[in-house]
Amino acid sequence: ATSNGRQGITVSADAAEESRRGLMLVLSSPSGAGKSTIARLLLEKEDNLALSISVTTRPRRSSEVDGVHYRFIDAKTFEHMKEDGELLEWAEVHGNYYATPRGPVENAIENGKDILFDIDIQGTFQLYEKMREDVVSIFILPPSIAEMKSRLRRRAEDSEEVILRRLKTAVGEMRHWSKYDYVVVNDDLERAYENVRAILKAERLKQSRSPAIGPLIDGMVGDLEEALKD
Ligand code: 5GP
């Protein structure tokens, strides 16, 4: 925005976007709904979106890289982080601890950077309590339980026992679907991805995220009043 004499205030769409607070895009779903694929596509294709890298006490899967997918830590380190107030939220899922480190998230949001969270329902509710205005939550729904099971088996990284436990957790999670801002059905990956992108785009444009927009509009109203005097 610039003020240039009689022309008054000029607002650029860039300036309005640049002044905004970052948002927290939360994707939750039962295992096997295809959430990870959607998250990966978003991170590859979207500018200004970074993954919140959780810490976990779960053993690393062979496909995972420490510091990229998770930071793998032991239970003692987790306890220390929790006691020191370093965790924005935490949860026990399938017998392991998962948590979001606070620092990187707060830093990103204050600098207008958006953060993607792949966290469960317990974590989502904790973020609601702490920073509801910044959170945009999407529940990814599989098209059917049969499809969900077959996706879990195709992944072939987990034992039958682990798969069964994940399906049991899914029951509890799916009951809470209505607490999410959006529900996206993943029967077609491309379509589900496009829907998530549309949500992100619209949420980025919300006026409540751009504190600079109010004063700019006030300035324009002032210009308009001036113009009407002539
Ligand atoms: P997985 O073991 O398959 O990577 O993750 C199991 C579940 O833990 C998923 O539902 C995932 O979204 C959730 N999860 C991963 N990181 C976090 C976290 O930092 N906090 C919470 N609350 N849940 C997490």
Side-chain angles (χ1 to χ4, degrees):
T2 49
S3 191
N4 48 3
R6 270 196 70 78
Q7 276 193 343
I9 285 181
T10 303
V11 186
S12 78
D14 282 345
E17 276 212 33
E18 277 160 18
S19 71
R20 77 177 171 88
R21 247 172 104 71
L23 58 79
M24 299 162 74
L25 185 68
V26 175
L27 296 186
S28 293
S29 77
S31 310
K35 169 188 58 179
S36 313
T37 312
I38 294 174
R40 185 172 46 75
L41 285 174
L42 277 173
L43 291 167
E44 271 170 25
K45 297 189 182 176
E46 279 294 324
D47 288 336
N48 198 39
L49 184 71
L51 180 68
S52 164
I53 300 173
S54 299
V55 292
T56 183
T57 60
R58 162 168 81 59
R60 188 175 64 82
R61 293 188 187 127
S62 57
S63 60
E64 291 173 328
V65 179
D66 189 23
V68 175
H69 301 93
Y70 285 104
R71 253 175 66 208
F72 296 93
I73 58 170
D74 56 25
K76 213 169 168 184
T77 310
F78 172 81
E79 282 305 326
H80 281 310
M81 292 180 84
K82 197 171 111 185
E83 276 160 27
D84 294 346
E86 287 177 40
L87 303 178
L88 199 54
E89 60 78 32
W90 67 272
E92 191 182 341
V93 186
H94 309 131
N96 296 300
Y97 291 107
Y98 296 80
T100 302
R102 177 191 298 278
V105 174
E106 288 181 347
N107 203 11
I109 291 192
E110 272 149 36
N111 288 300
K113 304 254 181 290
D114 301 325
I115 303 268
L116 181 68
F117 294 79
D118 176 343
I119 62 174
D120 81 332
I121 200 148
Q122 308 172 65
T124 308
F125 292 167
Q126 291 172 57
L127 295 187
Y128 282 173
E129 275 165 31
K130 289 187 177 144
M131 30 218 321
R132 186 65 185 95
E133 302 284 289
D134 295 315
V135 177
V136 177
S137 63
I138 307 180
F139 195 78
I140 311 280
L141 197 66
S144 70
I145 298 307
E147 175 61 22
M148 193 171 116
K149 273 180 167 167
S150 81
R151 281 184 196 163
L152 278 178
R153 298 222 161 88
R154 247 180 282 149
R155 185 153 79 190
E157 283 204 63
D158 298 315
S159 64
E160 269 306 304
E161 186 200 330
V162 169
I163 291 176
L164 192 65
R165 191 150 53 153
R166 283 169 186 269
L167 291 173
K168 281 187 184 150
T169 307
V171 178
E173 293 204 333
M174 285 174 69
R175 290 212 169 102
H176 289 287
W177 68 271
S178 66
K179 310 235 172 55
Y180 281 73
D181 298 325
Y182 300 90
V183 174
V184 168
V185 180
N186 184 18
D187 52 355
D188 175 88
L189 178 64
E190 189 61 27
R191 187 165 159 198
Y193 166 66
E194 285 304 329
N195 284 341
V196 171
R197 270 189 70 189
I199 293 166
L200 178 59
K201 175 132 195 174
E203 288 283 345
R204 281 175 165 168
L205 293 168
K206 258 200 174 155
Q207 58 91 348
S208 57
R209 299 192 203 288
S210 295
I213 210 80
L216 288 176
I217 296 175
D218 289 346
M220 279 184 143
V221 171
D223 289 346
L224 186 56
E225 283 168 345
E226 277 302 310
L228 290 171
K229 279 187 202 153
D230 293 345

